[in-house]
Amino acid sequence: MDGRKREILQAARDMFSEYGIRSVSIDDICKAVGISKKTLYQYFDNKAELVESLLMHEIEDVMKDVEGVKEQAANAIQALLLVSKTICRLSMHKKPSAAFDLKKYYPDLHKKFVSIKRQHAFEGIRMNMERGIKEGYYREDLNIELVANIYVQKIEQMHELEFSGERKFTADKIFEVMFENHIRGISNSKGIEVFENEKKNLNYKINDTSA
């Protein structure tokens, strides 16, 4: 990617996260990067196109991370933990104001973003379940499509709970309980035994990229 375009996207990401999408103008972004509006319009026709490019770039970055972390894992259970944490970061690293603005002022972009994000998340979970069955850790009678969709939905609900005002539990603790319940539901006796043996050493901190 062109270096200047990357600067623009980074500035927009930071400012949208801090102030919300609606409150940040093209002029604000230009000022932050130190360029003219004419220069910015060489890369983006308007603010909506900039927002869309930022969202797609964010998904691409996270999916690259997903591919990278899967190679670190010794088995499907460790891989699921790493993939799940990566998907959680995609869902939870947005402040409520930015998420609200995207949904209200760019509804078509919001629907497109949610759809693409869900599809990538679903594919990552589906492939993990196939790996787990092949390795002999997950149950062979699983309805992969249904279970993968339910698990993705649980991750999305984590995001909603994080911003709901209920602060009795940390995001990391919510994730740990959700992950353990999921593993116990999809694993056979061999998988549960492996999970129990590895459980104490698993890292449930969402912002940590290690298993």
Side-chain angles (χ1 to χ4, degrees), residues 42-76:
Q42 292 177 4
Y43 299 95
F44 307 101
D45 290 340
N46 49 51
K47 185 177 176 181
E49 185 177 302
L50 191 157
V51 171
E52 181 174 13
S53 181
L54 180 59
L55 292 174
M56 296 306 109
H57 183 64
E58 182 177 340
I59 289 178
E60 288 174 6
D61 282 349
V62 173
M63 290 307 107
K64 288 178 183 177
D65 289 344
V66 168
E67 291 303 313
V69 298
K70 286 193 298 185
E71 297 179 1
Q72 302 175 26
N75 55 53

Side-chain angles (χ1 to χ4, degrees), residues 11 31 33 41 45 56 64 73 76 92 102 104 111 116 121-122 128 133 141 143 149 153 156 165 167 189 193:
K31 184 177 180 180
V33 181
Y41 287 135
D45 290 340
M56 296 306 109
K64 288 178 183 177
M92 301 179 74
L102 179 63
K104 182 173 183 179
K111 290 178 182 178
I116 294 174
F122 168 80
N128 176 266
I133 292 172
D141 63 342
N143 184 324
N149 272 302
Q153 190 173 57
E156 291 177 343
R167 300 290 181 174
S189 58
E193 182 180 356

Side-chain angles (χ1 to χ4, degrees), residues 17-165:
S17 177
E18 183 68 23
Y19 305 109
I21 298 174
R22 188 184 183 211
S23 299
V24 177
S25 67
I26 290 293
D27 286 330
D28 293 329
I29 297 170
C30 289
K31 184 177 180 180
V33 181
I35 59 174
S36 66
K37 290 173 71 173
K38 181 179 179 181
T39 299
L40 185 143
Y41 287 135
Q42 292 177 4
Y43 299 95
F44 307 101
D45 290 340
N46 49 51
K47 185 177 176 181
E49 185 177 302
L50 191 157
V51 171
E52 181 174 13
S53 181
L54 180 59
L55 292 174
M56 296 306 109
H57 183 64
E58 182 177 340
I59 289 178
E60 288 174 6
D61 282 349
V62 173
M63 290 307 107
K64 288 178 183 177
D65 289 344
V66 168
E67 291 303 313
V69 298
K70 286 193 298 185
E71 297 179 1
Q72 302 175 26
N75 55 53
I77 295 173
Q78 288 185 14
L80 179 61
L81 178 60
L82 290 168
V83 169
S84 299
K85 285 162 63 174
T86 304
I87 294 172
C88 279
R89 286 197 295 277
L90 175 60
S91 296
M92 301 179 74
H93 274 188
K94 285 185 175 59
K95 291 191 176 180
S97 58
F100 175 83
D101 284 356
L102 179 63
K103 187 173 184 179
K104 182 173 183 179
Y105 300 106
Y106 301 90
D108 291 339
L109 281 181
H110 175 263
K111 290 178 182 178
K112 179 179 179 180
F113 177 62
V114 169
S115 177
I116 294 174
K117 181 181 67 173
R118 283 177 177 166
Q119 185 59 34
H120 280 297
F122 168 80
E123 286 300 320
I125 302 304
R126 181 188 62 78
M127 292 175 65
N128 176 266
M129 293 177 69
E130 290 177 348
R131 174 180 174 177
I133 292 172
K134 186 176 180 179
E135 291 178 348
Y137 297 137
Y138 298 167
R139 291 164 32 215
E140 293 185 355
D141 63 342
L142 291 172
N143 184 324
I144 293 178
E145 182 175 357
L146 178 57
V147 175
N149 272 302
I150 291 173
Y151 187 62
V152 170
Q153 190 173 57
K154 286 181 180 179
I155 293 177
E156 291 177 343
Q157 289 171 344
M158 270 192 62
H159 168 68
E160 294 172 3
L161 181 59
E162 175 69 3
F163 293 129
S164 68

